[in-house]
């Protein structure tokens, strides 16, 4: 997917942001981020947990973040400017489109608070130095990257010896929300099968071997399942890959899809169960 897809996704990011952030909270705890001197959030989207990190970090710890989408970078920047000016005023829902569009990406407040966010591709980060970071976090990003080997090479390069990496990728078979959307799209005649393959790293052994391949050691990997706060069929829960298909479909097909989707949501609620998303989380070290 290109920049434009994720730029468009930033407009509906509010409703989805807080769900996968649960994975990131677990990662940060396992990485003991409060002991780090410098942290990189690679593929930060709207910076859901940046306020939390700044509040809980070690004194003088630097937080750097990047995202493929400039609109996401603007969103994270606008949110953090609001927060740094007034810690009680950082809610994303209160940030206007104008504030996002006109945000000062080089605000002196960022430097004063040892915070930086920029547009960057995790496959190539020439903006960052070798051996720079104590922690590299990548939450629900690596599976979307075209060349995962390049991304891991860059992660290894920018980490200090002894630095730690934390990664989350989705488990395809455990993503009930995505499989339900896919089923509804197929039944509505919008697609024939899964519109994309989320990742070729699909098992615990795959991701562990992938990290070993790129030189990381002391690997700990676990499955984690989170509930997704989906109780209706709000448009904002349609992921970018599916949004592109709906935008090109006929009204009849779109209406059929939403009817099917609404029924699936109601069936799940009738079972007193949420939609769930499963992921593989991993932490590892760059050898000394």
């Amino acid at each position: 997917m290109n920049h434009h897809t994720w730029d468009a996704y930033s407009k509906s990011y509010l409703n989805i942001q807080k769900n996968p952030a649960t994975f990131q909270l677990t990662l940060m705890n396992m990485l003991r981020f409060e002991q780090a001197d410098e942290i990189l959030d690679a593929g930060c989207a709207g910076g859901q947990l940046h306020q939390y990190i700044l509040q809980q970090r070690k004194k003088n710890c630097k937080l750097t973040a990047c995202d493929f989408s400039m609109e996401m970078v603007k969103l994270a920047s606008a949110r953090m400017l609001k927060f740094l000016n007034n810690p009680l005023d950082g809610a994303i829902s209160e940030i206007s489109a104008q504030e996002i569009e006109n945000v000062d990406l080089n605000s002196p407040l960022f430097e004063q608070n040892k915070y930086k966010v920029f547009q960057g591709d995790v496959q190539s980060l020439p903006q960052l130095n070798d051996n720079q970071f104590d922690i590299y976090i990548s939450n629900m990003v690596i599976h979307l990257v075209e060349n995962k080997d390049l991304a891991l090479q860059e992660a290894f390069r920018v980490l200090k010896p002894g630095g730690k990496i934390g990664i989350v990728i989705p488990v395809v078979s455990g993503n009930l929300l995505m499989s339900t959307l896919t089923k509804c799209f197929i039944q509505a005649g919008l697609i024939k099968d899964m519109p994309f393959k989320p990742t070729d790293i699909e098992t615990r052994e795959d991701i562990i071997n992938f990290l070993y391949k790129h030189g990381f050691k002391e690997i700990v990997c676990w499955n984690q399942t989170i509930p997704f706060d989906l109780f209706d069929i709000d448009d904002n829960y349609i992921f970018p890959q599916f949004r592109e298909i709906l935008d090109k479909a006929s009204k009849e097909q779109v209406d059929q899809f939403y009817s099917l989707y609404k029924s699936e949501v109601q069936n799940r609620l009738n079972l007193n169960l949420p939609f769930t998303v499963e992921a593989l989380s991993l932490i590892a070290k760059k050898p000394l």
Side-chain angles (χ1 to χ4, degrees):
M1 287 181 288
N2 58 33
H3 289 276
H4 301 299
T5 300
W6 293 106
D7 286 348
Y9 185 44
S10 70
K11 305 295 187 297
S12 60
Y13 180 68
L14 171 60
N15 276 15
I16 292 177
Q17 60 169 339
K18 54 195 177 299
N19 293 280
T22 304
F23 294 127
Q24 192 171 346
L25 277 169
T26 305
L27 266 190
M28 293 193 301
N29 175 62
M30 292 294 286
L31 291 166
R32 297 184 178 176
F33 79 98
E34 71 281 357
Q35 299 175 6
D37 292 315
E38 195 153 357
I39 298 169
L40 174 65
D41 185 359
C44 67
Q48 163 67 7
L49 294 178
H50 289 177
Q51 290 125 303
Y52 176 80
I53 295 173
L54 292 192
Q55 288 172 324
Q56 304 295 327
R57 66 183 171 178
K58 177 181 178 181
K59 186 178 181 180
N60 294 323
C61 171
K62 297 178 181 178
L63 173 59
T64 302
C66 65
D67 197 84
F68 188 58
S69 162
M70 177 53 77
E71 291 304 313
M72 288 292 195
V73 169
K74 289 179 179 179
L75 177 58
S77 299
R79 154 190 255 160
M80 290 303 297
L81 272 180
K82 206 150 194 170
F83 168 72
L84 292 171
N85 277 305
N86 181 355
L88 298 179
D89 195 27
I92 190 172
S93 58
E94 297 172 355
I95 302 171
S96 69
Q98 187 175 13
E99 285 176 304
I100 295 170
E101 183 59 34
N102 298 326
V103 66
D104 179 4
L105 298 176
N106 298 303
S107 169
L109 263 181
F110 291 153
E111 186 173 355
Q112 291 167 22
N113 288 277
K114 301 184 184 302
Y115 176 77
K116 179 181 180 181
V117 59
F118 65 94
Q119 183 181 23
D121 184 340
V122 297
Q123 298 168 106
S124 177
L125 293 168
Q127 307 92 332
L128 305 177
N129 298 325
D130 294 357
N131 309 315
Q132 182 174 348
F133 297 94
D134 300 284
I135 288 176
Y136 175 110
I137 298 173
S138 187
N139 185 36
M140 290 291 194
V141 174
I142 295 297
H143 63 289
L144 299 169
V145 174
E146 184 175 352
N147 192 322
K148 298 171 183 60
D149 290 300
L150 285 179
L152 263 288
Q153 288 168 21
E154 279 293 83
F156 193 90
R157 178 184 69 82
V158 302
L159 276 171
K160 298 175 183 175
K164 294 179 284 187
I165 187 171
I167 291 174
V168 180
I169 63 168
V171 175
V172 178
S173 61
N175 192 329
L176 181 59
L177 181 56
M178 189 67 77
S179 62
T180 299
L181 282 167
T182 300
K183 182 173 76 170
C184 293
F185 266 77
I186 292 172
Q187 291 176 343
L190 289 162
I191 58 175
K192 293 182 179 179
D193 50 31
M194 189 70 170
F196 70 105
K197 186 178 181 182
T199 180
D200 51 8
I201 301 174
E202 299 187 45
T203 69
R204 188 170 179 274
E205 291 71 25
D206 286 341
I207 193 169
I208 289 172
N209 290 334
F210 186 54
L211 268 287
Y212 276 134
K213 170 186 173 182
H214 287 283
F216 290 96
K217 305 295 182 185
E218 298 184 41
I219 297 172
V220 177
C221 182
W222 65 94
N223 285 69
Q224 187 172 350
T225 300
I226 62 167
F228 205 96
D229 65 330
L230 173 58
F231 308 112
D232 53 40
I233 59 166
D234 192 301
D235 281 358
N236 289 336
Y237 288 98
I238 306 299
F239 298 103
Q241 303 91 335
F242 292 113
R243 172 55 59 200
E244 290 181 330
I245 298 169
L246 282 178
D247 288 344
K248 297 174 183 176
S250 68
K251 182 180 184 304
E252 182 180 359
Q253 285 180 308
V254 171
D255 289 345
Q256 186 179 3
F257 160 75
Y258 276 111
S259 176
L260 291 164
Y261 188 27
K262 182 177 181 179
S263 177
E264 289 289 342
V265 172
Q266 190 57 54
N267 289 342
R268 195 70 182 164
L269 294 177
N270 289 343
L271 295 171
N272 310 114
L273 289 170
F275 283 87
T276 53
V277 177
E278 183 185 0
L280 279 167
S281 297
L282 176 148
I283 62 171
K285 280 188 179 181
K286 177 177 176 177
L288 291 169

